[in-house]
């Protein structure tokens, strides 16, 4: 069974130089077929070349095939784990350059952290039309920025600043189109001298074709090299882990974190039995939406990448066709919504609902199917006096009108940003799974957040899921009043559930953190209302159907109100506040 050590062997760095381009450029890549010397790269690698070559940029904009004749002036090199050797010299160490080992290391003790450098040729660059189509629909260029900084951030209206802003816009345009491009490289055939590593690698390689669907909630692993070739002795083939957050055909989003230079790195999924599968390639490691940093990594399905490779370059290397199962050409995804989630996350998905009020939306969580009780945030339904509040589950495309039983906006002195909705028509569509039980959270426990974040509610996407831990529990007078987590929380998640790995409801997500000075948001620092604090009132309503029981949410404690207003509360002013019970 493949281990972290084995999957690192599939990562590499691709670097290039070219007359007319000032600096060396680089990115991550995938060792695709070592015995044939085939390496897979990502289109972002060509960004600097497109900036200086308008003819090449024009072909990229049109989605045209880029043959090797367009890249003849570029010198490409591959940096591989030092355990790889040329197949022709598998009984001795390859006489290739090793990246600058420290003087105290002998040549026989070079770590895999010091990669070997091989020359190679780029055979072609091609667009994955299916991925480009999904990108234009789900992440349109006018709303998303894919680069290491926000385009057009230059202040002032000087001629120079306008020029920089124009260049940034052009840069983002090229970068966006390159997201759906992939590159195939050819080098000398390579192999592993270590027979155990070779056996494990072949086992992983065989799973590239007949592998299970990538499901939301699967454990996700990325092997990539931050900053590319800038400092590989430190960063080469670094490992990152998270979960698959959302899937739409060949479009994959994960909360496994990586940074620029990681584009082109392999994405693996790990099923509950421990089996690992190479499932995709990272295409964007850092992105922005409406000037807000988004803590997701974007990837493309490996089956889709290889399907388009075979369709466009079948005459280049007939052995490429053997790599992809014919069924992968159709890229048929099961029509059953729930099959897109891992088994452990089925209850999480089913209990998460979309809450829409006019043109705005947020999330909610079902806490009682029979009566149709749904919890969300008051700020999600703040316009309910002017618009209908509607609710939709993942198992029914219909949006049903919901009744507002309680809203914080009607009681501005209560600290909890909570609302209670009633919509039995929507909750009756939830089948085969139950609602999550409610319990107190534990400091440090692994958790997930589910919600309709970032992407337009009109796209009919499934709720996105992110993972993290309980980072802080805040209690006042022995009563828990706030839960902090490290899950990635963005606009649209508000009102969604915070759940344990076993599916217990721990909290209702309220917000992430914003630095008012820089206006920067921090998605991995967020707050939730503890669900256990709401349980007594919920149980009372289930027994009586009397909405007045929710008046218990009106906590009058000044300290609690200050905490939720994110005001500074010190030990000194804490003692001066009212000590009324929660």
């Amino acid at each position: 069974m493949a281990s972290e050590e084995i999957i690192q062997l599939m990562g590499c760095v691709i670097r290039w130089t070219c007359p007319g381009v000032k600096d060396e450029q680089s990115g991550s890549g995938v060792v695709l077929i070592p015995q044939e010397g085939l390496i897979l790269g990502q289109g972002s690698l060509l960004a600097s070349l497109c900036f200086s070559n308008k003819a090449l940029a024009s072909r990229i904009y049109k989605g045209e095939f880029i043959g090797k004749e367009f890249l003849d002036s570029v010198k490409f090199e591959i940096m591989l784990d030092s355990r790889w050797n040329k197949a022709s010299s598998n009984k001795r160490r390859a006489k290739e350059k090793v990246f600058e080992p420290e003087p105290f290391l002998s040549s026989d003790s070079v770590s895999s952290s010091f990669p070997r450098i091989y020359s190679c040729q780029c055979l072609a660059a091609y667009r994955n039309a299916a991925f480009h189509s999904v990108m234009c629909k789900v992440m349109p260029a006018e709303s998303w920025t894919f680069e290491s900084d926000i385009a057009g951030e230059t202040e002032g209206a000087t001629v120079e600043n306008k020029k920089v802003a124009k260049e940034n816009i052009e840069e983002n345009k090229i970068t966006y189109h390159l997201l759906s491009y992939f590159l195939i490289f050819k080098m000398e055939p390579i192999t592993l001298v270590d027979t155990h590593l070779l056996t494990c690698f072949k086992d992983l390689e065989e799973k590239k074709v007949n592998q299970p669907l990538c499901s939301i909630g699967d454990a996700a692993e990325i092997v990539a090299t931050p900053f590319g070739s800038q400092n590989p002795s430190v960063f080469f083939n670094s490992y990152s882990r998270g979960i698959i957050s959302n899937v739409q055909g060949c479009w994959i989003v994960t909360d496994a974190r990586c940074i620029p230079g990681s584009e082109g790195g392999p994405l693996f999924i790990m099923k509950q039995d421990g089996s690992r599968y190479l499932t995709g390639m990272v295409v964007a490691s850092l992105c922005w939406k409406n000037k807000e940093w988004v803590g997701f990594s974007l990837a493309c399905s490996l089956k889709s990448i290889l399907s388009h490779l075979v369709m466009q370059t079948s005459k280049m290397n007939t052995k490429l066709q053997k790599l992809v199962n014919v069924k992968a050409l159709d890229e048929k995804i099961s029509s059953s919504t729930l099959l897109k989630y891992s088994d452990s996350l089925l209850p999480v998905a089913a209990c998460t609902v979309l809450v829409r009020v006019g043109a705005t939306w947020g999330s909610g969580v079902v806490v009682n199917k029979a009566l149709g009780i749904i919890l969300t945030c008051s700020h999600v339904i703040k316009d309910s006096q002017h618009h209908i509040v509607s609710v939709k589950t993942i198992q029914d495309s219909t949006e049903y009108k919901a009744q507002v039983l309680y809203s914080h906006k009607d009681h501005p002195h209560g600290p909890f940003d909570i609302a209670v909705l009633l919509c039995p028509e929507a909750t009756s569509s939830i089948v085969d799974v139950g609602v999550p039980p409610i319990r107190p959270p534990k400091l440090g426990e692994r958790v997930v957040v589910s919600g309709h974040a970032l992407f337009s509610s009109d796209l009919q996407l499934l709720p996105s899921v992110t993972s993290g831990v309980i980072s802080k529990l805040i209690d006042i007078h022995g009563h828990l009043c706030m839960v902090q987590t490290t899950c990635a929380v963005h606009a649209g998640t508000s009102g969604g559930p915070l759940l344990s790995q076993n599916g217990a409801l721990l909290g209702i997500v309220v917000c992430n953190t914003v630095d008012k000075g820089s206006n920067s948001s921090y998605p991995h620092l967020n707050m939730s209302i503890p669900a256990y604090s709401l349980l007594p009132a919920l149980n009372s309503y289930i027994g009586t159907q009397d909405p007045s029981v929710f008046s218990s949410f009106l906590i009058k404690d000044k300290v609690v109100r200050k905490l939720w207003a994110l005001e500074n509360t010190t030990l000194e002013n804490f003692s001066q506040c009212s000590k009324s019970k929660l």
Side-chain angles (χ1 to χ4, degrees):
M1 188 175 294
S3 64
E4 289 83 355
E5 181 185 21
I6 300 300
I7 66 174
Q8 281 189 311
L9 288 167
M10 273 195 171
C12 65
V13 169
I14 305 163
R15 69 181 190 181
W16 62 266
T17 55
C18 178
V21 179
K22 182 178 179 181
D23 300 315
E24 177 182 281
Q25 306 297 317
S26 60
S28 299
V30 177
V31 178
L32 194 62
I33 313 179
Q35 62 272 25
E36 296 295 327
L38 292 177
I39 307 293
L40 192 64
Q42 206 281 319
S44 300
L45 190 66
L46 299 180
S48 293
L49 193 61
C50 290
F51 300 153
S52 61
N53 187 330
K54 300 301 181 184
L56 179 61
S58 177
R59 294 183 69 87
I60 295 294
Y61 290 148
K62 296 174 184 177
E64 296 179 357
F65 181 86
I66 310 295
K68 61 182 180 179
E69 64 274 12
F70 291 94
L71 303 169
D72 278 344
S73 61
V74 184
K75 178 185 177 182
F76 289 99
E77 291 182 321
I78 304 293
M79 305 179 77
L80 292 174
D81 187 299
S82 60
R83 289 170 292 183
W84 287 108
N85 281 274
K86 290 181 181 178
S88 60
S89 58
N90 58 1
K91 291 185 178 180
R92 57 184 174 85
R93 298 198 63 88
K95 293 182 179 179
E96 294 290 335
K97 180 181 177 183
V98 178
F99 184 84
E100 300 297 334
E102 292 294 329
F104 63 85
L105 293 174
S106 69
S107 59
D108 294 328
S109 63
V110 175
S111 163
S112 59
S113 296
F114 300 105
R116 296 185 181 279
I117 302 171
Y118 299 82
S119 60
C120 68
Q121 180 184 31
C122 183
L123 300 180
Y126 62 96
R127 172 182 279 182
N128 182 326
F131 187 75
H132 183 72
S133 176
V134 177
M135 283 295 300
C136 291
K137 177 183 176 182
V138 179
M139 305 177 82
E142 59 269 21
S143 300
W144 293 81
T145 302
F146 294 90
E147 54 183 346
S148 59
D149 204 347
I150 303 177
E153 191 72 3
T154 307
E155 297 181 357
T158 65
V159 173
E160 183 62 28
N161 286 346
K162 286 182 178 180
K163 180 181 178 181
V164 172
K166 184 177 180 180
E167 290 175 351
N168 284 340
I169 292 172
E170 185 67 18
E171 177 183 342
N172 191 54
K173 182 180 177 182
I174 292 174
T175 303
Y176 186 85
H177 281 272
L178 286 172
L179 292 174
S180 54
Y181 264 81
F182 299 90
L183 292 74
I184 187 73
F185 296 89
K186 181 73 170 70
M187 60 173 291
E188 290 188 55
I190 54 174
T191 189
L192 293 164
V193 177
D194 188 307
T195 55
H196 172 69
L197 289 178
L198 185 60
T199 300
C200 293
F201 186 88
K202 286 183 177 179
D203 177 63
L204 182 62
E205 192 177 21
E206 290 171 0
K207 293 177 181 177
K208 286 203 288 273
V209 177
N210 298 312
Q211 60 172 282
L213 291 176
C214 174
S215 302
I216 298 175
D218 281 341
E221 300 170 305
I222 291 174
V223 173
T225 303
F227 313 116
S229 63
Q230 289 187 28
N231 198 345
S233 57
V234 175
F235 301 114
F236 185 69
N237 280 355
S238 297
Y239 175 89
S240 178
R241 185 171 184 179
I243 63 173
I244 299 297
S245 297
N246 214 320
V247 178
Q248 180 76 1
C250 58
W251 176 87
I252 303 170
V253 174
T254 172
D255 66 356
R257 304 183 206 178
C258 51
I259 59 177
S262 301
E263 298 85 357
L267 169 69
F268 302 86
I269 57 172
M270 184 167 64
K271 293 297 184 178
Q272 290 185 326
D273 63 358
S275 298
R276 284 181 166 90
Y277 301 87
L278 176 60
T279 197
M281 170 180 276
V282 176
V283 301
S285 59
L286 188 69
C287 55
W288 304 80
K289 183 183 182 185
N290 299 328
K291 297 188 177 182
E292 178 183 6
W293 176 64
V294 176
F296 286 133
S297 298
L298 180 64
C300 181
S301 155
L302 180 71
K303 284 188 177 181
S304 181
I305 295 171
L306 298 183
S307 296
H308 283 76
L309 173 61
V310 170
M311 287 188 288
Q312 298 195 50
T313 64
S314 58
K315 295 181 181 180
M316 187 193 317
N317 189 324
T318 56
K319 291 187 178 181
L320 288 174
Q321 294 179 331
K322 297 179 182 179
L323 188 65
V324 186
N325 191 307
V326 176
K327 295 180 181 179
L329 296 174
D330 296 328
E331 286 237 77
K332 292 181 178 178
I333 303 297
S334 171
S335 60
S336 172
T337 298
L338 287 182
L339 285 180
K340 291 185 180 179
Y341 284 88
S342 63
D343 292 342
S344 62
L345 284 188
L346 289 183
V348 175
C351 75
T352 305
V353 301
L354 174 72
V355 179
R356 189 195 301 273
V357 184
T360 64
W361 76 92
S363 304
V365 54
V366 177
V367 293
N368 186 287
K369 284 198 298 183
L371 295 178
I373 305 173
I374 297 168
L375 298 179
T376 186
C377 286
S378 282
H379 74 262
V380 171
I381 63 165
K382 61 183 175 64
D383 294 326
S384 59
Q385 292 181 339
H386 308 290
H387 300 281
I388 292 174
V389 178
S390 61
V391 171
K392 183 176 76 68
T393 70
I394 68 167
Q395 291 173 297
D396 190 343
S397 59
T398 305
E399 292 190 9
Y400 296 96
K401 181 180 178 180
Q403 176 188 351
V404 180
L405 293 180
Y406 172 87
S407 175
H408 169 267
K409 67 183 179 62
D410 297 326
H411 307 278
H413 297 297
F416 288 154
D417 181 4
I418 194 72
V420 185
L421 308 179
L422 198 65
C423 191
E425 296 84 2
T427 58
S428 64
S429 68
I430 301 174
V431 296
D432 300 327
V433 292
V435 297
I438 296 175
R439 71 161 174 82
K442 300 175 183 177
L443 183 65
E445 72 172 304
R446 299 197 64 82
V447 291
V448 295
V449 161
S450 177
H452 292 272
L454 291 173
F455 310 108
S456 172
S457 60
D458 297 328
L459 295 172
Q460 304 296 315
L461 293 179
L462 296 170
S464 296
V465 180
T466 62
S467 60
V469 298
I470 300 290
S471 56
K472 190 173 180 65
L473 299 172
I474 301 177
D475 67 271
I476 303 297
H477 310 309
H479 296 269
L480 184 63
C481 62
M482 181 184 286
V483 182
Q484 291 182 18
T485 85
T486 61
C487 300
V489 166
H490 301 92
T493 311
S494 296
L498 167 67
L499 300 114
S500 71
Q501 287 192 310
N502 295 326
L505 180 61
L506 308 179
I508 308 300
V509 178
V510 176
C511 60
N512 59 22
T513 307
V514 176
D515 181 348
K516 292 183 179 180
S518 63
N519 202 32
S520 300
S521 65
Y522 298 92
H524 294 282
L525 179 58
N526 48 79
M527 279 70 73
S528 296
I529 299 168
Y532 196 71
S533 299
L534 310 176
L535 187 58
L538 289 172
N539 286 338
S540 294
Y541 179 80
I542 292 170
T544 64
Q545 270 97 80
D546 179 7
S548 66
V549 300
F550 297 122
S551 62
S552 62
F553 295 161
L554 299 176
I555 302 168
K556 297 181 180 180
D557 192 287
K558 293 181 181 179
V559 177
V560 178
R561 289 210 301 268
K562 281 179 173 287
L563 285 171
W564 275 106
L566 298 186
E567 296 180 13
N568 185 33
T569 302
T570 64
L571 188 60
E572 287 74 16
N573 61 37
F574 172 86
S575 62
Q576 298 170 8
C577 291
S578 169
K579 294 188 178 180
S580 59
K581 293 185 178 180
L582 298 181

